[in-house]
Amino acid sequence: MPPSPSRHPRTHAGLLVAALLGLLVGLLPGLTAQAGAAPSAPEPGAGAAAAAGAFRNPLNSGPDPFMTNWKGNYYLTTTQGGSIKMWRSPSLGTLAAADPVTVWTDTDPSRNRNIWAPEFYRFGDRWYLYYTADDGVDEHHRLYVLESERDDPTGPYHFKAKLAPPNHADDFAIDAGVLQLGGRLYLAYSGINQYQHNGLNIAPMSNPYTVSGDAVAINAAGGCPEVREGPEFLYRNGRVWMTYSACDTGKPDYQVWMMSMPLTSDPLVPGNWRQHQGAVFSRADDRGVFGPGHHAFFQSPDGTEDWIVYHAKTTSVNTYSNRTTRAQKFTWRADGSPDFGRPLAMGATQDLPSGDPGSGNYWINDDGRSSGAGSVTYTGAWNSGSGCATQCFWGDDHWSEGAGATATFSFTGTRIALLSVKDTGNGYAAVSIDGGPEQRVDFHNPIRVGEAVQYISPRLANGGHTLRVRVTGEHNSQSGASFVSVDRAEVYTN
């Protein structure tokens, strides 16, 4: 969830308002980074047409993702703060290029602020959207559910109910997830119990919008003492697997742990849950991935593959910003348990999910190499090197603070996104498409983060275009210098 400046370690303060379109698709034939495998650097000069079956993270610039695939489309939500937005696309490779649909806003002042972690499920011919919200006071976070007015994940929705177990009728609660077992529904969430302020609880439900009994507390391990949140469920090999996130989400050690029990057991008996020792998904410093957690699961369009969608950061600094949505495939061990592997580096090339129709997008690296019809040229004084390591695509970038210096990307497609390092010494760039009006973009950030989405163009007619980045030599009052960095561009072709 987004942080909040309360005394509670997992709570959330500044909301990362999703900047739309963190999806950056890498298209390379024959190169795949499977879940748990080290990401491979793509070969220069590979053609985009042959690479329609690959993509790269991030999928979105927001945290707390939830995603499903239904009737030929992926649907994604992330935390937005003041509303609930949903992205829809037939391909994972173009998901963030879709315009978001605002599926919910609220005028009730008791629940129209700090709206976090929406999740949506289909029961019967209606969709139910679960979320948490407050009145501006973190301790007032409560759980709510919406009901769709038709059989469509994007709604429209109407408010259905507040969700509160009788023994926690007016207690702090966040991160609703729905456990479906033996034809019954259960509300799983993070809230007050005897183990944590943000601890795991499970309560029975009589229908998708009614809690029908007291919640029971689950004493879950987690490496850090302060938080157990974001419960999610997998059903396979005769067991239900409950995964959850532990540690403060601002920490680089935010991570995923797991418990399980037989499908025939009662989830309201805490002793039925067996703890699996150690984190099952955690930071990968060598890949520049920190704080991977708050996740969900979805299947490939043809139902043959299992995928995890989660948020993570590119910095080891304790911060609630720069949490972006990523996805990767996972597998199953011989003992029947899920194997999530290690989180992949941002920009690692992966195969699209099986049955995904593909996207045709491609990348342009800052050194001019491209997997499609793209290139980049420079004027003025630019530095280049590999000092940014895992915070940059291929470990290299270009940077300049010389006023008037330019980097011009030439590409063929319908849209282009520019990614690079945001840093404490960065300044303003002037960005323009096809020689048109310039847009002022601030590349500064209070902490250094990599592969951040700096700019995404409007939709363009399919064909040849240019994106020019001009160094202005200016910076905001918080920055120490006026550098502009160039790392990679992602080109959309449909």
Side-chain angles (χ1 to χ4, degrees), residues 439-460:
Q439 177 178 331
R440 193 175 176 88
V441 179
D442 193 353
F443 281 40
H444 171 262
N445 201 59
I447 59 173
R448 180 184 174 92
V449 297
E451 297 200 65
V453 179
Q454 306 279 17
Y455 169 83
I456 185 159
S457 75
R459 296 184 185 277
L460 307 167

Side-chain angles (χ1 to χ4, degrees), residues 28 31 38-44 349 394:
L28 247 328
L31 283 172
S40 301
E43 295 294 332
T349 300
W394 282 13

Side-chain angles (χ1 to χ4, degrees), residues 12 25 33 74 90 95 105 132 143 147 167 188 190 217 255 264 357 369 473 490:
H12 318 277
V25 181
Y74 298 90
L95 181 62
T105 57
T132 182
L143 298 175
E147 183 183 61
N167 60 333
S190 178
Q255 57 193 237
T264 54
R369 289 175 288 182
E490 294 290 337

Side-chain angles (χ1 to χ4, degrees), residues 43-361:
E43 295 294 332
F55 80 103
R56 282 189 305 279
N57 288 315
L59 301 181
N60 190 279
S61 294
D64 306 331
F66 186 85
M67 185 152 65
T68 193
N69 191 287
W70 186 71
K71 287 192 174 180
N73 282 292
Y74 298 90
Y75 294 84
L76 169 71
T77 53
T78 61
T79 287
Q80 303 295 297
S83 65
I84 299 175
K85 289 184 171 64
M86 188 175 290
W87 288 263
R88 174 180 59 196
S89 174
S91 175
L92 200 64
T94 52
L95 181 62
D99 295 324
V101 176
T102 299
V103 299
W104 183 249
T105 57
D106 203 330
T107 58
D108 187 325
S110 71
R111 58 172 193 254
N112 66 356
R113 299 181 63 182
N114 298 324
I115 300 172
W116 299 341
E119 298 195 1
F120 48 100
Y121 301 80
R122 184 174 184 261
F123 299 117
D125 61 355
R126 292 293 181 266
W127 291 82
Y128 293 87
L129 200 158
Y130 301 83
Y131 66 101
T132 182
D134 67 21
D135 57 1
V137 177
D138 176 67
E139 189 62 20
H140 295 168
H141 265 105
R142 304 291 184 264
L143 298 175
Y144 303 98
V145 60
L146 312 174
E147 183 183 61
S148 70
E149 295 178 11
R150 61 188 184 196
D151 193 3
D152 187 336
T154 63
Y157 286 91
H158 58 266
F159 184 82
K160 191 66 176 179
K162 178 182 177 181
L163 298 172
N167 60 333
H168 292 289
D170 200 28
D171 289 340
F172 173 89
I174 59 172
D175 292 2
V178 179
L179 168 61
Q180 305 173 58
L181 202 60
R184 298 192 62 187
L185 302 179
Y186 302 85
L187 176 70
Y189 68 97
S190 178
I192 291 174
N193 62 30
Q194 63 266 43
Y195 305 113
Q196 287 94 20
H197 179 276
N198 298 50
L200 294 181
N201 300 282
I202 302 177
M205 303 181 76
S206 57
N207 56 46
Y209 50 86
T210 306
V211 176
S212 57
D214 286 347
V216 299
I218 307 298
N219 187 12
C224 302
E226 67 267 26
V227 166
R228 310 288 182 264
E229 65 186 10
E232 295 293 334
F233 300 95
L234 290 166
Y235 312 84
R236 182 155 166 165
N237 301 323
R239 300 187 72 82
V240 54
W241 310 87
M242 177 171 64
T243 55
Y244 56 92
S245 299
C247 298
D248 185 332
T249 190
K251 290 182 175 180
D253 289 317
Y254 192 58
Q255 57 193 237
V256 179
W257 285 60
M258 183 170 69
M259 305 180 82
S260 71
M261 71 171 194
L263 289 171
T264 54
S265 296
D266 184 350
L268 299 177
V269 177
N272 287 340
W273 291 99
R274 178 170 67 87
Q275 182 72 57
H276 291 247
Q277 297 305 309
V280 295
F281 201 60
S282 58
R283 62 189 285 175
D285 294 36
D286 59 322
R287 297 175 176 180
V289 182
F290 302 94
H294 201 108
H295 60 288
F297 304 111
F298 67 99
Q299 287 195 318
S300 60
D302 65 4
T304 64
E305 297 173 346
D306 293 304
W307 287 70
I308 181 172
V309 60
Y310 62 98
H311 77 230
K313 300 178 289 189
T314 61
T315 176
S316 61
V317 174
N318 190 337
T319 177
Y320 299 104
S321 64
N322 186 235
R323 296 175 298 157
T324 59
T325 290
R326 302 115 185 263
Q328 63 188 64
K329 188 171 74 170
F330 68 91
T331 58
W332 295 84
R333 295 186 177 90
D335 68 0
S337 64
D339 182 359
F340 301 112
R342 301 179 65 220
L344 298 174
M346 189 100 84
T349 300
Q350 302 180 66
D351 283 345
L352 285 166
S354 181
D356 187 300
S359 60
N361 300 0

Side-chain angles (χ1 to χ4, degrees), residues 382-394:
W382 287 83
N383 305 292
S384 63
S386 57
C388 62
T390 58
Q391 287 191 317
C392 285
F393 182 61
W394 282 13

